[in-house]
Amino acid sequence: MILKKLRRMRKGQVRGIDFALGMLIFIIAFSQVIIVLTHLLVPSIMQMENYSEYQELDKLYSLIYYSKGNPSNWATIGTSSLTDFSLGLSGDDGQLSFSKINRLTSDIADYWKIDYQFVKTSYGLLKDFAISVDSAIKIQIDSFSAGFGTLTVTGHVLEDTTSVENVDITAFVLDKENNVFTNITTTKKNLNEVNFISSFSLTTSNYYTIVIFANIDDVYESYYVFRIYKPDDSFEYDEVDFNFRPLVLENKEKHSSAIDVRFSSPAITDEAVATVLFSKRDVGKSFYNQTLSQQSSLEEGNFYLGTNIPIPTQGFAVVIVQENDGLNYRAGYMGIPMFLTETASSIFGNEGILSGEYIYSFDLLYVRNRLVKCQIWVN
């Protein structure tokens, strides 16, 4: 009797040990399954999230760069009059519109400026974004020297980080009396460096504006604009900022071959002069001057205006606007198109996202038959 009882107890212990061992094996096996599934599912979920984010990025890129926006002619409508607005930079010719790009510059008059939050709200976006439009090639100024009626500028042209040889360089100098001086050269190898040297004989002035164009086979084009000043009691010229930013838009009647120039500013004279500079000659000319007249409206206030100023049918240009009454002098410039970069008129959007985590895309698109690099960042 006692022996049978011991046997039953041992069988119970064996069954308990078997159950515990089986449960341990099950837990280990199940945990391995969980680990395997985690390794399989988490990347898949992350890939799905990334795929969704890139879909949103591509959609926003298409809306901005490949659509005309709403209304399609919003470039010529004051910001306060834009209703049911959406941003789109494409023009009537299927290329990007320089007028629409120019409306995104950060320092134009409030009447024309497109606000980033306005754009973000119109798209119903919760995330921040930023865009830029820039040339695929870069002009870098290495040095300049000026004095006694001469000026020399040295620089080079970069494609990525490589200095490019045989690039066509057209350089202009504009003094404060609106006299234009031109030099045409190419980048070439000088003392193991590939660069250009542009030299000018000038009228004496304490202000000069220098505009450099670089052109590669009429496919890539870039420009660089800077201004120098010498006080009357000094022999040295130093680089100085421009005083204002004019607005340059396509003329309504002659798209892409004529422009309208305007800027709001407290007038120091009855008129200002716009000088349009471009690298490709048009009917034997490489620049045009036109006087801007004072205008006034209830919505826009007081401003200078010049209309139907001719430009070539393709290629980039730079517009310099100067006021000078003999005592007071001011100058401003805008590109056709105005590059939206941190070094020019600033990137459009929330630039702060560039210092954090973001997804990014870019493409090369045409403006006035020249390829430009169009980028977008979304956080």
Side-chain angles (χ1 to χ4, degrees):
M1 195 72 177
I2 295 174
L3 186 60
K4 286 182 181 180
K5 188 175 182 180
L6 286 173
R7 286 176 180 169
R8 284 198 298 267
M9 288 177 62
R10 285 174 183 168
K11 285 181 181 179
Q13 288 174 349
V14 169
R15 290 194 185 110
I17 293 170
D18 288 346
F19 176 79
L21 186 59
M23 182 60 71
L24 180 61
I25 293 171
F26 172 78
I27 292 172
I28 293 172
F30 185 72
S31 64
Q32 292 300 312
V33 171
I34 294 297
I35 292 171
V36 170
L37 288 175
T38 300
H39 280 80
L40 290 173
L41 291 176
V42 170
S44 298
I45 293 170
M46 292 178 65
Q47 286 173 359
M48 289 174 63
E49 289 177 351
N50 290 339
Y51 178 72
S52 177
E53 287 178 347
Y54 276 103
Q55 277 190 316
E56 290 181 16
L57 177 73
D58 290 342
K59 181 181 178 181
L60 184 59
Y61 190 101
S62 295
L63 286 171
I64 292 174
Y65 288 113
Y66 288 101
S67 78
K68 294 181 181 181
N70 187 60
S72 61
N73 65 335
W74 64 264
T76 58
I77 301 172
T79 303
S80 59
S81 300
L82 288 174
T83 57
D84 194 24
F85 171 74
S86 63
L87 178 67
L89 299 182
S90 183
D92 293 335
D93 59 357
Q95 301 189 25
L96 297 181
S97 162
F98 75 80
S99 296
K100 293 177 179 179
I101 294 170
N102 289 359
R103 287 284 300 272
L104 303 184
T105 56
S106 61
D107 43 7
I108 60 173
D110 289 341
Y111 179 78
W112 295 102
K113 187 183 300 182
I114 300 298
D115 180 69
Y116 164 65
Q117 291 298 334
F118 183 42
V119 174
K120 189 176 172 183
T121 301
S122 72
Y123 282 142
L125 289 175
L126 298 177
K127 295 182 178 180
D128 283 309
F129 74 94
I131 64 170
S132 74
V133 178
D134 198 7
S135 174
I137 60 175
K138 297 289 185 185
I139 300 171
Q140 185 166 309
I141 303 302
D142 299 324
S143 65
F144 71 87
S145 61
F148 306 103
T150 64
L151 187 147
T152 300
V153 181
T154 303
H156 57 277
V157 178
L158 295 172
E159 190 171 8
D160 291 328
T161 58
T162 303
S163 292
V164 187
E165 221 171 336
N166 301 317
V167 179
D168 293 326
I169 302 294
T170 305
F172 297 92
V173 175
L174 185 72
D175 67 18
K176 68 179 185 178
E177 304 298 332
N178 300 300
N179 297 306
V180 178
F181 307 87
T182 309
N183 178 276
I184 299 174
T185 185
T186 60
T187 57
K188 58 190 72 173
K189 202 161 193 177
N190 295 305
L191 301 175
N192 297 321
E193 282 190 272
V194 176
N195 59 16
F196 66 86
I197 301 174
S198 298
S199 298
F200 304 85
S201 295
L202 309 169
T203 56
T204 302
S205 176
N206 57 347
Y207 277 99
Y208 296 112
T209 295
I210 299 97
V211 180
I212 311 289
F213 289 94
N215 187 298
I216 301 179
D217 300 326
D218 289 342
V219 176
Y220 300 114
E221 189 166 8
S222 188
Y223 59 79
Y224 190 96
V225 184
F226 66 105
R227 184 175 178 234
I228 60 175
Y229 166 68
K230 178 187 75 64
D232 291 332
D233 58 354
S234 174
F235 294 102
E236 298 292 329
Y237 285 84
D238 292 312
E239 190 170 345
V240 292
D241 292 332
F242 286 89
N243 304 105
F244 57 84
R245 183 79 69 194
L247 178 65
V248 180
L249 304 175
E250 292 172 317
N251 181 267
K252 295 178 182 178
E253 282 72 39
K254 295 185 177 180
H255 288 292
S256 79
S257 61
I259 56 172
D260 297 339
V261 176
R262 63 204 303 145
F263 71 99
S264 301
S265 180
I268 62 172
T269 64
D270 292 335
E271 60 187 32
V273 176
T275 302
V276 186
L277 307 167
F278 38 88
S279 63
K280 289 297 180 182
R281 290 184 175 271
D282 182 62
V283 294
K285 294 178 69 71
S286 56
F287 68 91
Y288 289 98
N289 287 330
Q290 182 160 318
T291 299
L292 311 181
S293 60
Q294 284 187 336
Q295 306 285 324
S296 182
S297 73
L298 292 175
E299 299 83 8
E300 194 172 351
N302 297 321
F303 59 96
Y304 287 106
L305 176 66
T307 62
N308 200 25
I309 304 173
I311 59 173
T313 56
Q314 59 183 328
F316 295 163
V318 169
V319 179
I320 309 295
V321 177
Q322 300 192 121
E323 290 180 284
N324 185 9
D325 67 354
L327 294 175
N328 302 294
Y329 166 74
R330 292 187 302 185
Y333 92 92
M334 176 170 271
I336 304 175
M338 190 65 185
F339 294 144
L340 303 176
T341 71
E342 292 177 286
T343 56
S345 62
S346 83
I347 290 170
F348 179 78
N350 185 349
E351 297 183 33
I353 68 175
L354 303 185
S355 60
E357 293 185 4
Y358 56 82
I359 55 176
Y360 162 81
S361 183
F362 82 93
D363 202 356
L364 293 176
L365 303 176
Y366 279 99
V367 181
R368 292 181 55 78
N369 290 325
R370 302 291 186 266
L371 284 172
V372 292
K373 186 176 183 180
C374 299
Q375 301 176 90
I376 188 168
W377 299 264
V378 176
N379 72 346

